[in-house]
Amino acid sequence: MATPNSNNPRPARPVLKQRLSSASFLQDHEQYKAPVFQNLGDVLRQPGDTLSTPLVLNSNPIKPNPEKVADSGIVHSIFNHEASDLPPGTPKLVATIFYKSSSPINPYVHPDISLQANPGDKLPPPVVPEGSAPTVDMEKIPREPPAPEPEPLDHLYGRFVSQLCLASFLQTLESLSTPYQRTYTSHRCLDQEAQPRVVEVTFWPPPNPEYLTFADLQKHESIWRFEREWNVEVVFQRESVFRRFKRLAVFDMDSTLIQNEVIDEIAKFVGVEKEVSEITARAMNGELDFSASLKARVSLLKGVPADVFDRLKSIVTISPGARELCSALKVLGFKLAVLSGGFQPLTEWLAKELGIDYAFANHLEVDPITQTLTGNLLPTFPIIDAAQKRALLRSIAAENSISISQTMSVGDGANDLLMLNTAGLGVAWHAKSKVQLEAPTRLNGPSLVDILYLLGLTKDEIEELTAVADSKKI
């Protein structure tokens, strides 16, 4: 039998070189691991023993360090930090992450980090989140119940876009089921560096559309799960000059620029609020034809005094951030329009209040003798339904020589879906469940000013714009 040749040593096993691992975005985020200052003796002790150092019970033992997300200026990659071999002009995508501070998944702070919580307190059971299904009633869901909710992590790691939240998002992007490719990302905080609520992440190249289209990316299950875990909303956009420099914004009125449904308010005058509200809710969720439902609701308003709109002005509540949003857009040179399925008198009044250039709504017929509503619409004016809103968006853009890619639209009802999907940026704002599922973008923040972050503006820039608007008395 042949003996091993001692002069020919066995080849060394391959080793993952440092240069292959050092560029990992996970290693870039090693700073998130906070040192543990407690030793085993501090935790395991006999009854009656006293601690030399008090055990801190109201802090998170893995609190991020440092405790803020700063604009990195770093391009994160799972590959080497070598010169990119991507061709010039490689497309980029922008993801704007909003922490939902006004609606935490768990209204109770986790017992581990709260002095107010008792050790026996339990987190509330998971529920079907609003906007993730046509109904939140488990008995009415027409298919298998949704999978259990992921454990919300914001109550553990911070009620803002934390460093761990950002790292989780980057890892989610890397894990999407697309052919393996180099992915580069960078981020910046739009509102504040310490505990930011809004963070913008740019990554490139985008997923190969043959495997994952942009529309599918926006509604990808992994992205949805990330949103639920960290209590955030993610808005994807293609990065281009037209994302940052738009010129036309069109808005729905009811439940968008104002918090009221005008037709429901009018119905209170004749005691048919319940009947009208039920039809309105079904129409806005896409369960009824809008034009037919509008005529049915208007017929119930017969006999209402024609001056009802003057009375309504005192009870109409303009949505938070609507004035600031419109003022900032006007300073930027935008043309603004309100396209409402409501009624013309109140729409024109709101347009003057907010400095809006165009106002289109439905026209009610008035009896000239009794000066009351007849219960009919004026036949000489078109009904402002979904198709008409889309047509008006296109015609206003054409009138001002504005390309569709430089337009944005904001609405909440099913009759807004066509214009939301037509505009360069369509935002479903606190929308009905069906609209949140079908709109290209959805936001449920505390203020309409959040829409300005989608244009890449920072908080300081937004404040500068509103200050200029105030000085001009727009």
Side-chain angles (χ1 to χ4, degrees):
M1 178 179 294
T3 58
N5 185 356
S6 58
N7 297 327
N8 187 17
R10 182 178 180 180
R13 297 181 64 183
V15 177
L16 183 63
K17 301 286 185 160
Q18 176 67 19
R19 66 181 183 84
L20 292 179
S21 61
S22 62
S24 167
F25 73 82
L26 292 178
Q27 183 163 342
D28 289 337
H29 291 77
E30 287 288 327
Q31 60 176 317
Y32 301 163
K33 296 182 178 178
V36 178
F37 299 106
Q38 298 170 2
N39 56 46
L40 190 60
D42 293 329
V43 179
L44 300 177
R45 62 186 188 278
Q46 298 299 323
D49 289 349
T50 59
L51 291 175
S52 58
T53 302
L55 185 63
V56 180
L57 299 178
N58 64 339
S59 64
N60 184 355
I62 55 174
K63 185 182 298 181
N65 183 25
E67 298 181 34
K68 67 179 183 178
V69 178
D71 291 357
S72 65
I74 299 174
V75 174
H76 305 286
S77 172
I78 64 171
F79 294 91
N80 289 341
H81 287 296
E82 299 174 351
S84 171
D85 58 357
L86 296 175
T90 298
K92 298 181 179 182
L93 296 182
V94 173
T96 310
I97 304 175
F98 295 83
Y99 177 67
K100 298 169 64 176
S101 57
S102 61
S103 56
I105 297 176
N106 287 307
Y108 310 105
V109 180
H110 194 276
D112 289 348
I113 60 173
S114 172
L115 292 175
Q116 290 75 33
N118 298 315
D121 288 352
K122 296 182 180 180
L123 296 175
V127 297
V128 180
E130 184 177 358
S132 65
T135 175
V136 296
D137 187 345
M138 294 293 290
E139 300 297 328
K140 296 181 180 179
I141 293 181
R143 48 178 177 253
E144 294 183 9
E149 286 288 293
E151 180 185 3
L153 300 177
D154 60 312
H155 72 290
L156 289 174
Y157 301 112
R159 296 188 173 188
F160 52 93
V161 182
S162 64
Q163 292 172 319
L164 287 172
C165 173
L166 180 59
S168 176
F169 179 69
L170 298 177
Q171 189 172 24
T172 300
L173 291 179
E174 296 286 357
S175 67
L176 295 178
S177 55
T178 59
Y180 203 59
Q181 63 180 5
R182 299 188 177 200
T183 302
Y184 303 90
T185 69
S186 63
H187 73 270
R188 62 190 185 115
C189 308
L190 297 185
D191 58 339
Q192 58 188 15
E193 289 189 0
Q195 302 187 354
R197 188 179 65 87
V198 188
V199 174
E200 179 183 278
V201 179
T202 304
F203 62 98
W204 66 97
N208 188 330
E210 293 182 3
Y211 295 88
L212 183 64
T213 65
F214 180 69
D216 289 339
L217 171 64
Q218 291 175 300
K219 304 179 186 301
H220 198 281
E221 181 179 355
S222 296
I223 301 298
W224 181 85
R225 185 175 182 85
F226 164 77
E227 290 179 317
R228 298 299 302 160
E229 283 181 336
W230 293 97
N231 194 25
V232 298
E233 291 183 307
V234 181
V235 176
F236 287 99
Q237 298 181 79
R238 292 183 175 89
E239 175 61 307
S240 73
V241 67
F242 298 119
R243 175 185 81 90
R244 290 171 278 117
F245 298 99
K246 298 194 183 298
R247 298 173 56 200
L248 171 63
V250 299
F251 301 94
D252 177 41
M253 182 175 72
D254 294 9
S255 298
T256 302
L257 288 179
I258 65 174
Q259 295 183 320
N260 315 71
E261 286 287 341
V262 172
I263 195 169
D264 294 348
E265 299 292 345
I266 300 176
K268 293 179 181 179
F269 283 88
V270 289
V272 292
E273 179 185 7
K274 181 179 179 181
E275 294 88 335
V276 170
S277 296
E278 289 176 354
I279 300 175
T280 300
R282 295 183 63 191
M284 291 300 99
N285 205 35
E287 299 175 23
L288 299 174
D289 175 74
F290 179 80
S291 297
S293 67
L294 177 64
K295 293 178 180 178
R297 286 176 288 165
V298 168
S299 66
L300 297 174
L301 305 182
K302 183 177 181 180
V304 173
D307 64 352
V308 64
F309 297 105
D310 293 326
R311 305 183 194 179
L312 286 178
K313 292 175 184 177
S314 61
I315 65 173
V316 166
T317 303
I318 295 178
S319 297
R323 292 184 184 275
E324 294 82 355
L325 172 61
C326 291
S327 297
L329 293 177
K330 290 296 289 182
V331 172
L332 290 173
F334 272 64
K335 290 291 184 180
L336 305 181
V338 53
L339 312 179
S340 174
F343 306 109
Q344 191 68 24
L346 207 60
T347 304
E348 290 181 349
W349 168 80
L350 182 66
K352 292 179 181 178
E353 286 286 308
L354 300 180
I356 295 176
D357 304 289
Y358 298 90
F360 293 91
N362 297 300
H363 293 253
L364 292 172
E365 186 180 61
V366 177
D367 188 321
I369 299 176
T370 62
Q371 286 298 301
T372 59
L373 303 182
T374 65
N376 298 314
L377 296 167
L378 283 176
T380 53
F381 292 91
I383 293 177
I384 309 299
D385 56 9
Q388 185 64 15
K389 285 189 176 186
R390 179 175 60 181
L392 286 168
L393 166 66
R394 290 172 172 168
S395 64
I396 296 172
E399 178 183 335
N400 292 277
S401 301
I402 299 173
S403 67
I404 288 296
S405 59
Q406 287 185 277
T407 66
M408 67 179 186
S409 59
V410 185
D412 75 298
N415 62 323
D416 298 315
L417 276 172
L418 289 181
M419 76 172 185
L420 294 180
N421 284 288
T422 299
L425 171 62
V427 181
W429 180 257
H430 285 273
K432 310 304 182 288
S433 295
K434 175 180 177 175
V435 184
Q436 296 220 25
L437 290 169
E438 297 185 14
T441 293
R442 54 179 169 78
L443 277 181
N444 297 276
S447 168
L448 280 164
V449 171
D450 279 357
I451 293 174
L452 293 172
Y453 290 120
L454 299 180
L455 304 180
L457 296 172
T458 65
K459 181 180 180 180
D460 290 341
E461 292 168 337
I462 293 171
E463 291 176 350
E464 184 177 357
L465 289 172
T466 53
V468 171
D470 291 340
S471 66
K472 292 182 177 181
K473 304 294 183 182
I474 294 182

